[in-house]
Amino acid sequence: HEVTIDQGKAGAEKLKAEAIVVATGSRPYRPPEITFDDRILDSDTILDLTYTPRALTIYGAGVIGCEYASIFKGLGIKVTLINHRAKLLEFLDDEIIDALGYHLREQGVVIKHGEEYERVERKGDDVYLHLKSGKVVKSDALLWANGRSGNTQDLFAFDSAIRIDHRGQLEKNENFQTAIPHIYAVGDVSGPPA
């Protein structure tokens, strides 16, 4: 029932409450086997580009991947969008999915469905995305847009029954309660639908 807020040099403030809501948000998921740099980017670091790629591969065709595909194609960049699912944004109505796919293709985005990444390789200024199907996609930059991680590192200073999955998201029930009923998880830190 207590939250400690670290205020740096000013010390720490302790707050007590009957209920606690954890809404710490999320950050781009970064697989540990991929080395992110100026050519292998996530949805945050791509905003700091200091060059204009001629070709961009986007791995992950969720909301963020589709959004960036449209933006970069609109800037005249060759875009390949890799989707590990059978269709774009499966949680949407089929009519919307079809329209989105049509408009992205009409813009010139190459969409590859049902492809999973095997590994990423960097050679000079080129990035190679090796897929499990045996295909290799070469581009000037790779945007990894395959999910988000909850901001839960060092969140609990006690041995907790609250489960945190491999993506840092808190497990919750239909009422957004964690395993400790007076602690709730909402937003991106609670996973889908976020």
Side-chain angles (χ1 to χ4, degrees):
H1 291 279
E2 186 174 276
V3 176
T4 302
I5 302 167
D6 182 0
Q7 298 179 336
K9 292 181 181 179
E13 181 181 356
K14 293 184 188 242
L15 303 172
K16 292 186 180 198
E18 286 184 39
I20 296 171
V21 176
V22 178
T24 54
S26 66
R27 64 191 178 283
Y29 172 67
R30 289 181 152 206
E33 67 275 12
I34 295 177
T35 302
F36 288 79
D37 57 24
D38 65 325
R39 299 276 171 175
I40 301 170
L41 308 148
D42 63 35
S43 60
D44 286 350
T45 59
I46 199 158
L47 298 173
D48 297 324
L49 271 180
T50 57
Y51 62 94
T52 303
R54 293 180 319 275
L56 174 68
T57 301
I58 301 173
Y59 185 79
V63 172
I64 292 171
C66 288
E67 183 177 45
Y68 276 112
S70 180
I71 291 167
F72 280 96
K73 189 59 194 168
L75 294 171
I77 295 167
K78 179 184 173 194
V79 175
T80 303
L81 181 62
I82 309 295
N83 184 13
H84 68 272
R85 293 188 171 96
K87 53 186 173 176
L88 299 173
L89 306 178
E90 291 178 327
F91 60 89
L92 295 175
D93 181 79
D94 282 341
E95 217 171 290
I96 296 170
I97 294 169
D98 292 344
L100 175 63
Y102 171 80
H103 288 294
L104 286 172
R105 284 189 179 94
E106 187 72 15
Q107 284 182 302
V109 175
V110 175
I111 303 172
K112 296 180 181 290
H113 293 293
E115 294 284 1
E116 291 187 48
Y117 109 99
E118 184 172 87
R119 66 187 171 93
V120 176
E121 179 182 18
R122 168 114 189 243
K123 291 182 183 176
D125 287 341
D126 295 325
V127 179
Y128 296 85
L129 176 63
H130 296 262
L131 302 170
K132 287 185 179 178
S133 66
K135 296 175 188 168
V136 178
V137 182
K138 176 187 169 189
S139 58
D140 301 320
L142 169 70
L143 168 58
W144 186 269
N146 194 32
R148 303 206 39 96
S149 295
N151 293 323
T152 54
Q153 186 177 357
D154 302 323
L155 183 62
F156 299 108
F158 58 94
D159 189 18
S160 170
I162 297 173
R163 293 180 42 93
I164 301 173
D165 71 13
H166 72 285
R167 291 258 177 133
Q169 297 168 335
L170 301 179
E171 190 175 288
K172 55 151 177 5
N173 66 19
E174 66 277 357
N175 297 314
F176 295 91
Q177 293 171 296
T178 64
I180 300 175
H182 68 277
I183 299 179
Y184 298 81
V186 301
D188 285 355
V189 75
S190 69

